[in-house]
Amino acid sequence: MKRANTNSHLARLDLLASMLKSDDFLTAKDLSKALEVSQRTLFRDLNILRERGLPIDADKGRGGGVRLHRSWGLGKINLTDSETIDLLISIAICEKMNSPLFMKSLNSIRYKLLALLSPEQKEKIRSLRNRVLIGSSASPQVHSSYEKSEFPDCGEVNAAFVYQNLLSISYSDEKRNESKRIIEPHYLYFNYPVWYIFSWDHLRDDYRTFRIDRIQQSQVLEEQFILKSYEEFSHLIATDTPTIL
């Protein structure tokens, strides 16, 4: 229990620091409400961040404001592997869309982002990037069915994909027939605006594609799988030639 409480406190401190860096002015009331702590606990956390070197100005009292000192700069950003992957995928999607607006610096942003990583992180990121495929836009029919769907929480899907764990899912097909599956999420395929999983399906004992928005429930299992080559799944794409990140 002590470790869980410690991890929770550390996570709260990281979140508080991120909130301060992302806004010019926040009230103590806003911060304590967002973090679900008392203002007394909030000011105790602010003191801890000050001891770590974060230049915080805080006014106690009614409506007290909390801000970073105006001399504060962006500094170095610490990202987890998952956050880095999310950012790189977002950049790749923007590039694939070929928009003329706000996209000029994407290439330099990618290189700067990768430059921050350790050699071990770069290797892990490279492996994950090779498993994410970006295709073209989906058909009008797929667009229509996607707009009517309820997009699920993808935390379990994300974890199973990143750590190569089996994933138990409840899946609803295009005819709304539900089935229970255990799948190996080998590759992710983005056919705007729809995400698919290229998987090995243990129920059918065959390669299968699943639309992520049709996954009703999911659970990561302890058992891991050995990654199959992309060529084994390439027949699942009929006409599109996807970009491998």
Side-chain angles (χ1 to χ4, degrees), residues 25-32 39-40 42-43 46 50 57-67:
F25 180 88
L26 292 164
T27 66
K29 182 178 179 181
D30 290 337
L31 287 170
S32 60
Q39 291 195 29
R40 182 178 180 180
L42 171 67
F43 283 109
L46 289 172
R50 284 194 189 95
D57 292 333
D59 303 321
K60 289 191 176 182
R62 187 174 183 180
V66 182
R67 66 185 68 79

Side-chain angles (χ1 to χ4, degrees), residues 104-159:
K104 184 178 180 181
S105 302
L106 287 181
N107 204 37
S108 62
I109 291 172
R110 186 199 302 109
Y111 283 121
K112 289 179 181 178
L113 180 62
L114 292 173
L116 296 174
L117 305 178
S118 68
E120 293 79 12
Q121 286 176 312
K122 286 180 182 178
E123 183 57 36
K124 186 173 183 179
I125 297 297
R126 187 178 297 111
S127 174
L128 286 172
R129 288 179 67 198
N130 288 337
R131 296 171 57 203
V132 180
L133 316 168
I134 309 296
S136 58
S137 181
S139 67
Q141 182 180 359
V142 172
H143 270 266
S144 177
S145 64
Y146 178 82
E147 290 170 359
K148 297 175 183 177
S149 65
E150 295 184 9
F151 207 82
D153 179 0
C154 291
E156 298 283 310
V157 174
N158 233 0

